[in-house]
Amino acid sequence: MSSSPASLPIGNPLVTVTRPKPYLWIIELHNGVDNRLTHDLIKKGIMPALDIVEREWREHRWAALDKKKIEEGKGALIIVGKRDQDKFFSNGLDFANSSKDPNFFQLTFDPMLKTYRPDSSITPVPTIAAINGHCYAGGFMLSLACDYRVMTDGSSRNAWLCMNEVHFGAPWPWSFTAILAAKIGDHRLQRKIALEGHRFTPQEALRDGILDNIVKGKTIDVLAKAEEIADKFSGNACHGVWGLIKLTLYHGVLDTINKDYRLVNPITDDAAARSKL
């Protein structure tokens, strides 16, 4: 049963899933002006959208297997910010509201990062973040959870990548540190991202290996490059092992997230320090 195109949630769409090619799905984020990663966007938009993508790809692959044409079972997913603007991929969390929920990371954000589905092993097709504007904090982490990252070069409009939590007093959940360590191997670059909160230009991020490509132009051009990558690597999904290999490649990330650590915030940390002094 095919569901795309679909806009989710019904009545207040924050995400749209389209399928421009039999083996390609695009999830467009369109939550307000800057795509804050809220409870509703994640739980009622992104997660069910990913369910649609996985179900349709598996149906697509099973049909290819039935025809004994395994090469037709390829697949890829692109995640992009609002297509009708060139300013934001995602500006991160709605911190004021997410910080009120002590279980936000463990029960909402982390399931999206660790598997893109809470009841599945790991994303079974290549995923490409089409970063068509600013990419901050939780949005940056969402892009790191993807397999490839393509970004506007910022020549027509400024675009930055930044993990800026250190500048406004938000501790990192264990999921962030695990993904950063898995995807960014240089400890100096980890320090620059996490502890300095450096604001990367696209050119810097490409040079440092955070991005795979930068593209001159608008969202349509960023998407075109993302589709090139999808076309190149979508065939790697046809044997059904893309997700299984990633499961072993990133087992440390999943193990860390599944331990369900709870955050220590600056208030409780300060209170503990005071009690010892």
Side-chain angles (χ1 to χ4, degrees):
M1 180 179 64
S2 182
S3 300
S4 58
S7 293
L8 303 165
I10 296 173
N12 181 33
L14 305 173
V15 160
T16 298
V17 188
T18 53
R19 189 176 178 180
K21 299 176 182 178
Y23 57 88
L24 177 64
W25 289 260
I26 298 177
I27 293 179
E28 178 187 354
L29 312 178
H30 45 83
N31 180 27
V33 174
D34 58 355
N35 277 329
R36 296 281 177 171
L37 294 164
T38 61
H39 286 77
D40 282 351
L41 175 59
I42 294 170
K43 285 192 167 183
K44 298 179 181 179
I46 294 174
M47 298 299 277
L50 290 162
D51 286 345
I52 289 172
V53 173
E54 177 163 355
R55 184 181 67 248
E56 291 189 355
W57 170 73
R58 291 195 182 278
E59 291 172 348
H60 170 69
R61 180 171 177 271
W62 292 332
L65 292 175
D66 286 343
K67 294 187 293 183
K68 294 182 170 52
K69 294 183 177 180
I70 194 170
E71 70 280 359
E72 294 183 5
K74 58 187 181 178
L77 166 64
I78 295 171
I79 299 177
V80 66
K82 292 171 67 174
R83 298 192 200 211
D84 63 356
Q85 52 84 58
D86 307 296
K87 187 175 182 180
F88 291 102
F89 174 74
S90 172
N91 211 12
L93 307 183
D94 176 4
F95 184 68
N97 286 313
S98 63
S99 60
K100 296 176 185 176
D101 178 1
N103 299 304
F104 175 75
F105 287 106
Q106 290 77 17
L107 301 182
T108 300
F109 203 82
D110 289 352
M112 176 182 66
L113 289 182
K114 73 177 182 180
T115 64
Y116 281 146
R117 283 180 45 131
D119 58 346
S120 179
S121 56
I122 203 161
T123 317
V125 299
T127 53
I128 304 104
I131 305 171
N132 56 330
H134 296 309
C135 185
Y136 271 74
F140 190 166
M141 199 54 57
L142 174 62
S143 75
L144 277 184
C146 292
D147 300 309
Y148 301 93
R149 282 158 294 285
V150 179
M151 188 174 183
T152 173
D153 70 355
S155 59
S156 59
R157 184 172 205 160
N158 284 336
W160 310 98
L161 293 101
C162 183
M163 296 297 292
N164 60 337
E165 289 84 356
V166 71
H167 297 310
F168 63 88
W172 273 32
W174 285 82
S175 56
F176 283 21
T177 60
I179 289 174
L180 184 71
K183 294 296 183 80
I184 306 294
D186 189 325
H187 70 92
R188 293 165 299 182
L189 186 52
Q190 292 176 11
R191 179 182 63 205
K192 192 173 184 179
I193 293 169
L195 298 179
E196 298 174 10
H198 182 74
R199 192 171 66 170
F200 290 84
T201 65
Q203 290 75 18
E204 287 178 306
L206 178 66
R207 185 179 64 243
D208 286 338
I210 299 169
L211 298 174
D212 297 286
N213 298 94
I214 58 175
V215 180
K216 183 178 178 63
K218 297 182 178 294
T219 295
I220 189 171
D221 304 295
V222 177
L223 270 174
K225 186 62 180 181
E227 287 197 30
E228 283 184 27
I229 295 173
D231 288 341
K232 182 176 181 179
F233 295 109
S234 58
N236 287 6
C238 67
H239 290 281
V241 298
W242 179 274
L244 297 177
I245 293 172
K246 282 181 64 179
L247 185 62
T248 56
L249 185 62
Y250 300 121
H251 71 90
V253 176
L254 300 176
D255 289 347
T256 296
I257 294 174
N258 287 333
K259 287 177 181 175
D260 195 19
Y261 294 109
R262 301 290 154 147
L263 287 179
V264 177
N265 62 45
I267 296 172
T268 56
D269 180 61
D270 191 53
R274 285 175 181 273
S275 71
K276 293 183 288 186
L277 297 177

